[in-house]
Amino acid sequence: QSVLTQPPSVSAAPGQKVTISCSGSSSNIGNNYVSWYQHLPGTAPKLLIYDNNKRPSGIPDRFSGSKSGTSATLGITGLQTGDEADFYCGIWDSSLSAGVFGGGTKLTVL
Amino acid sequence: QVQLVESGGGVVQPGRSLRLSCAASGFTFRSYAMHWVRQAPGKGLEWVAAISYDGRNKYHADSVKGRFTISRDDSKNTLHLQMNSLRTEDTAVYFCASAGIAVGDYWGQGTLVTVSS
């Protein structure tokens, strides 16, 4: 079990908005930047958000990130069927010098 | 464009060794830290190891410490993961990833390692 807790699954209809939470502690999320990744099984994971709320070039603004205290949230608006994937939060824990990923959340667009 | 291509996976017996490679192109490899991340069947992503841009600092997850070693060859733009004393629980798809702005800016497609007798 990861120290970063995500809901196993979320779902919403096309066009709607969904949020995915990532809960940790003061020693991990509280003291480090959070990233978010999208992963379709059998493909390369893709970075969606870094430094809590920044989007890499090419990532649409339908994807957003936020962090408050020991929790982080990924938001996706204007859901599309092509958004169905597994989503992971992750950090580089500078005190442990180790990477940490959440357990992952499966998004279903109904 | 950035490309990361893993190789070296396969089926291996418990206790044996395997060496994974990751060929990088499309960016200045020697300027970036790199990671290995794995995904066991039906499980989530698990960070395995990281190496600094200059190779001086190496970090390994507790689950592989003492058995796996990350290294890099900047002359060949290649990242390696030497895996010794393999266990059945090491069965996973292994991804390499560059690390400029996050643990994984760009990722490869992965290579499958199956540890089985």
Side-chain angles (χ1 to χ4, degrees), chain A residues 36-59:
Chain A
W36 288 92
Y37 307 85
Q38 180 185 37
H39 186 213
L40 268 166
T43 69
K46 179 195 295 186
L47 176 67
L48 294 176
I49 298 290
Y50 68 99
D51 287 359
N52 303 331
N53 55 18
K54 297 176 183 174
R55 282 178 286 106
S57 174
I59 300 301

Side-chain angles (χ1 to χ4, degrees), chain A residues 35 37 39 42-47 50-51 56 88 91-92 97-103, chain B residues 35 37 39 43-47 50 59-61 95 101-109:
Chain A
S35 300
Y37 307 85
H39 186 213
T43 69
K46 179 195 295 186
L47 176 67
Y50 68 99
D51 287 359
Y88 295 87
I91 65 169
W92 176 255
S97 294
V100 184
F101 289 99
Chain B
H35 295 264
V37 176
Q39 183 177 36
K43 303 293 185 181
L45 299 178
E46 178 190 13
W47 175 78
Y59 311 96
H60 299 83
F95 300 97
I101 54 177
V103 168
D105 305 343
Y106 295 96
W107 300 64
Q109 300 257 3

Side-chain angles (χ1 to χ4, degrees), chain A:
Chain A
Q1 291 286 27
S2 176
V3 296
L4 303 183
T5 302
Q6 299 182 234
S9 63
V10 295
S11 62
Q16 296 299 304
K17 174 182 178 179
V18 71
T19 60
I20 298 173
S21 61
C22 176
S23 178
S25 68
S26 58
S27 64
N28 44 60
I29 288 181
N31 274 323
N32 297 283
Y33 288 112
V34 179
S35 300
W36 288 92
Y37 307 85
Q38 180 185 37
H39 186 213
L40 268 166
T43 69
K46 179 195 295 186
L47 176 67
L48 294 176
I49 298 290
Y50 68 99
D51 287 359
N52 303 331
N53 55 18
K54 297 176 183 174
R55 282 178 286 106
S57 174
I59 300 301
D61 58 8
R62 299 190 299 109
F63 296 91
S64 63
S66 64
K67 184 182 115 171
S68 178
T70 60
S71 292
T73 302
L74 173 70
I76 310 173
T77 60
L79 277 171
Q80 304 170 2
T81 54
D83 294 332
E84 287 198 335
D86 299 319
F87 292 83
Y88 295 87
C89 58
I91 65 169
W92 176 255
D93 191 320
S94 54
S95 63
L96 298 177
S97 294
V100 184
F101 289 99
T105 298
K106 181 176 181 60
L107 168 65
T108 301
V109 181
L110 302 168

Side-chain angles (χ1 to χ4, degrees), chain B residues 38-95:
Chain B
R38 68 185 180 183
Q39 183 177 36
K43 303 293 185 181
L45 299 178
E46 178 190 13
W47 175 78
V48 174
I51 187 168
S52 60
Y53 74 99
D54 58 2
R56 292 184 181 181
N57 297 302
K58 302 178 183 182
Y59 311 96
H60 299 83
D62 288 344
S63 57
V64 307
K65 202 168 290 183
R67 301 186 299 121
F68 291 11
T69 302
I70 190 171
S71 64
R72 63 191 299 154
D73 184 346
D74 289 349
S75 69
K76 296 181 180 178
N77 287 354
T78 302
L79 178 73
H80 297 291
L81 185 67
Q82 178 66 43
M83 305 187 296
N84 299 332
S85 303
L86 281 161
R87 305 168 179 168
T88 55
E89 55 264 36
D90 296 319
T91 293
V93 175
Y94 285 74
F95 300 97

